[in-house]
Amino acid sequence: MKAVRLHAKGDLRVEDVPAPVPPPGWAYLRVTRAGICGSDLHNFRTGQWITRAPSIAGHEFTGVVLEDSGAFKSGDRVVADSRFWCGACAACRDGRHQLCVKLGFVGEACDGCFAEEIVLPEKLLWKIPDHLPDDIAATAEPFAVALHAVRRLNPKRGKPVLIAGCGPIGGFAAVILTHLGHGPLLLADRNSERAQLVADTTGATVALPDARPEFAIDATGSIASLRTLIDTVAPGGTIALVGISHGLLDLDPNILVERELSLIGCHAFHDEMADALALLEPCASAIRQLLAPEITLDDVPAAYALIAAGQIEGLKTLIRT
């Protein structure tokens, strides 16, 4: 079968590989749509999470079960939890799988979804309704990440929320906040076209320089952006960090003390997948406005370069396998 494998930092190849064989407790799936995540690009650029190589990349997808397996039947349509958790540590026993001490992710701890077929532990799969389109279903995992960030931020009703970074997570967070009746929403992004796309989709406003919101989401992964946010939010404000950062933050903690600022980390998601799946259908129109034109597996290496350069139309690129 055809697959896209990461061999080393900066070394991504489209290759023909043997079809996978599911071990006991794993399901055998045909991938129908897969999404490229910013963390996929981060791993490609830095090699930070390469623990096995070569490994088939990708962790956002929807697919169809090919063989009866445990609770799943051939023909079932599913999405997957991207978190490869142990189930035995204190965090896992408490249901906080995103904090597992041995946490890995699909596409790193095991082969991922940038392939025609994939095998995954049954415990990671969620059955989805037949009427949910593949392109919308494939966004379930990043949509759950955005929902987790919104819940961690916990903004007060009627208070402005600033979203810094209008990539997929920032864009999906804007869709969720709008759907749930939060806001007004303010947007900030170096890419004005991307910010305007999210604004047109959600009714948000591109942030003015003098905006001083109490609540903000950093979906940039930029240290410079986070410094600006710390200076920008109002005293008593809260910043939810969901971006994957490059570099270290030089921070005087007295700023947090004297202005009573809260920095909240948001790692993947907790138990939001079920609620994210329920929100996909009512948010489908907005989600689809944020999708880039679909590509094939052969196009993935070139798409990485275009996404990194900000030259992809739309926020989320889906692979049609």
Side-chain angles (χ1 to χ4, degrees):
M1 68 173 185
K2 184 176 294 185
V4 181
R5 298 203 296 177
L6 184 62
H7 285 252
K9 173 184 172 182
D11 185 359
L12 189 73
R13 309 178 197 174
V14 181
E15 301 176 311
D16 287 321
V17 300
V21 178
W26 291 46
Y28 183 30
L29 314 169
R30 175 173 60 84
V31 178
T32 54
R33 295 290 191 287
I36 298 177
C37 177
S39 63
D40 296 323
L41 271 69
H42 178 86
N43 203 25
F44 168 75
R45 288 159 53 191
T46 69
Q48 180 177 350
W49 303 308
I50 296 177
T51 58
R52 51 191 295 278
S55 182
I56 299 174
H59 57 269
E60 305 174 3
F61 81 101
T62 188
V64 179
V65 176
L66 293 176
E67 298 175 354
D68 291 355
S69 175
F72 298 94
K73 302 296 183 184
S74 177
D76 284 346
R77 299 176 66 239
V78 298
V79 295
D81 184 337
S82 60
R83 306 165 303 169
F84 205 90
W85 37 273
C86 74
C89 70
C92 283
R93 294 197 304 270
D94 195 35
R96 298 177 298 156
H97 299 132
Q98 80 278 15
L99 302 179
C100 172
V101 296
K102 297 181 179 179
L103 185 67
F105 286 87
V106 173
E108 170 255 315
C110 69
D111 279 334
C113 61
F114 291 176
E116 294 172 322
E117 297 171 358
I118 184 174
V119 295
L120 284 179
E122 295 169 12
K123 69 179 184 180
L124 299 185
L125 301 181
W126 292 76
K127 188 175 178 179
I128 60 173
D130 290 338
H131 63 266
L132 190 65
D134 286 338
D135 59 343
I136 302 301
T139 68
E141 194 274 350
F143 206 72
V145 172
L147 180 58
H148 182 60
V150 168
R151 287 181 171 174
R152 292 277 287 163
L153 181 65
N154 192 26
K156 295 178 182 177
R157 291 283 179 179
K159 295 289 186 178
V161 180
L162 172 62
I163 298 176
C166 293
I169 301 303
F172 289 162
V175 169
I176 291 166
L177 286 162
T178 300
H179 178 77
L180 296 179
H182 287 286
L185 299 185
L186 306 173
L187 306 174
D189 195 290
R190 290 182 302 176
N191 187 322
S192 60
E193 293 182 0
R194 193 161 60 177
Q196 193 59 53
L197 173 60
V198 177
D200 292 343
T201 301
T202 64
T205 302
V206 177
L208 301 176
D210 58 353
R212 301 284 289 181
E214 289 184 40
F215 300 95
I217 294 175
D218 172 44
T220 66
S222 164
I223 297 301
S225 174
L226 180 54
R227 287 198 191 100
T228 300
L229 278 181
I230 291 171
D231 293 336
T232 297
V233 294
T238 302
I239 303 172
L241 294 84
V242 67
I244 301 297
S245 297
H246 300 260
L248 300 177
L249 177 66
D250 184 9
L251 175 66
D252 179 358
N254 289 322
I255 296 173
L256 306 183
V257 173
E258 294 167 0
R259 296 179 55 213
E260 292 196 350
L261 301 182
S262 299
L263 302 183
I264 300 177
C266 308
H267 188 218
F269 50 93
H270 177 210
D271 58 359
E272 284 85 6
M273 181 59 85
D275 290 336
L277 286 170
L279 284 173
L280 286 181
E281 189 168 6
C283 292
S285 178
I287 292 170
R288 191 166 277 129
Q289 291 180 61
L290 302 179
L291 298 181
E294 293 182 348
I295 63 172
T296 68
L297 290 169
D298 289 322
D299 301 323
V300 171
Y304 268 41
L306 292 173
I307 295 169
Q311 297 176 358
I312 287 285
E313 177 187 343
L315 307 186
K316 172 61 64 177
T317 298
L318 298 182
I319 304 161
R320 181 194 291 264
T321 59

